[in-house]
Amino acid sequence: MAEMPVPYLVVFGAAVRADGSPSGSLRRRAEGAARIAEQSGSGRFVVTGGVGRHGPAEAEVMRDILMEK
């Protein structure tokens, strides 16, 4: 069976640490989405998550991780 292109990848937020760095869950989600995008040829993401206990917003932290990839 041929792989179907993935038009958008939705990445759900997770905690941001007090120093503004991603929690392990947040990093794994963003890096996993980057791997799927690379394999599928998609580069479009919808990242979710606001400001929890610590800023910046989860979506901003994931955006930065995805931009690095």
Side-chain angles (χ1 to χ4, degrees):
M1 178 173 12
E3 287 189 35
M4 296 182 63
V6 179
Y8 290 91
L9 292 162
V10 178
V11 188
F12 295 103
V16 173
R17 293 182 177 147
D19 65 0
S21 66
S23 65
S25 295
L26 188 115
R27 179 168 293 283
R28 283 189 299 276
R29 290 176 187 185
E31 289 178 350
R35 280 192 302 276
I36 293 169
E38 185 177 328
Q39 293 169 355
S40 70
S42 174
R44 296 179 176 167
F45 302 93
V46 177
V47 292
T48 68
V51 177
R53 290 179 54 183
H54 309 288
E58 298 159 9
E60 291 178 35
V61 175
M62 286 189 288
R63 177 205 58 209
D64 293 345
I65 293 169
L66 292 168
M67 296 294 288
E68 289 174 7
K69 301 289 177 188

